[in-house]
Structure formats: C-alpha cells, structure tokens
Amino acid sequence: MSRNFGRYGASCHAANTANPSFTNGSRALRLADALALDVIPTSSRRAAEVYPHPALVTFFDLPKILTYKHKPGRDFLHLQSELLRLITLLDSLADAAPPLLLKSSPEWQAIRSAAESATRKSHLKRLEDAVDSVVCAYIALYTTTHPTKTRLLGTPTTGQILVPVTPTQAHQIDHP
C-alpha cells in the first residue's frame, strides 16, 4: 500500500497482531467465517478488506487524500470542509459507472445535514464511519462491475487490501 499509494498520503498502518483482539485471527476474518464468506478473490461469495483513502484518490483523481479524519492538529473548520467535500464528491458518483445513488436517500441527506450543522469535532467524528461505510460499499460494487480495474495489494498470509486503480496505477502495481 505504501509503495503504491504513499505519495498520496494513503499508506495504512499494519495490524498489531499482539493485540488480544487478534488471538483467533482478525475481526474481519472471524466475521467472514461467521457469515460463511470466502477471502479468495475468485470466490462468488467473498469478503475483502478495503481502505477508503486510496480508493478516493483513484475515483476522484486526487493529488492527496482528503483529510476529513480527526487527527491532532486538524481544526474543526478544516475537518468540516473536507468531510463536506467528500460528501459532495460521493454525490457526483450518481453519474459514474456503476452509479452511486445517494441523493434520494433520507439517511444520506441526514448525514449531509449533520455535517453542515456540526459545531464540534466530535459531531464530525460520529459521521466518519457512516461516510466510510458508503465508500467501502461502493468499492465492493465497483469491484464487481470493474474487476480489471482493481488490484489486491499484499498477500493472503500477511493480509490483502482490495483497491480500485487507474490504468497507470495498475501498470505500476503489475510491473514494479
């Protein structure tokens, strides 16, 4: 991930396998097992790990990640502006292939309204996971309709992350 998306600020942290929550495998793997989902990419009933930041860079041709996540040093107005920018970008996927039809969703409108009317960082923090879940679901939809425009980074043993890619990114990944 870092090699291919680090220049965009979209590196990710390795899982801390010393953490007791990984005693019997990752939470994601336990969930996949409980739902009888396979983690093999070619399976018809599969689960995949995804990561919003590189997908957003790819979908919207961004030079850097959107910094909507709460981190030390990011002030409220910056976070609110970036979250609203992301919401607007996701709305623009209504014209994409496949389309993401959010504007007619009352739940999505409530998220937008809550982001617009937020007055504290904690209000925005509550919305991050909801917005990320939409991004993750769209990655899954995109993958099923454009399998050749996605790549699995990592290995089955150490973990894999499914990412949408541009043709240039695909070439860089395929021919390091």
Side-chain angles (χ1 to χ4, degrees), residues 2 9 25 34 42 55 59 69 79 83 85 93 95 97 105 113 129 133 140 146-147 149 162 168 175:
S2 294
T42 55
F59 289 146
K69 295 274 192 177
L79 292 170
L83 185 60
R85 180 177 171 211
L93 292 175
D95 299 323
S105 164
S113 178
D129 288 342
S133 70
H146 298 293
K149 295 181 180 182
L162 182 66
T168 300
H175 307 284

Side-chain angles (χ1 to χ4, degrees), residues 86-104:
L86 174 54
I87 289 168
T88 300
L89 286 169
L90 292 172
D91 282 341
S92 76
L93 292 175
D95 299 323
L100 180 61
L101 306 174
L102 296 170
K103 290 182 181 179
S104 62

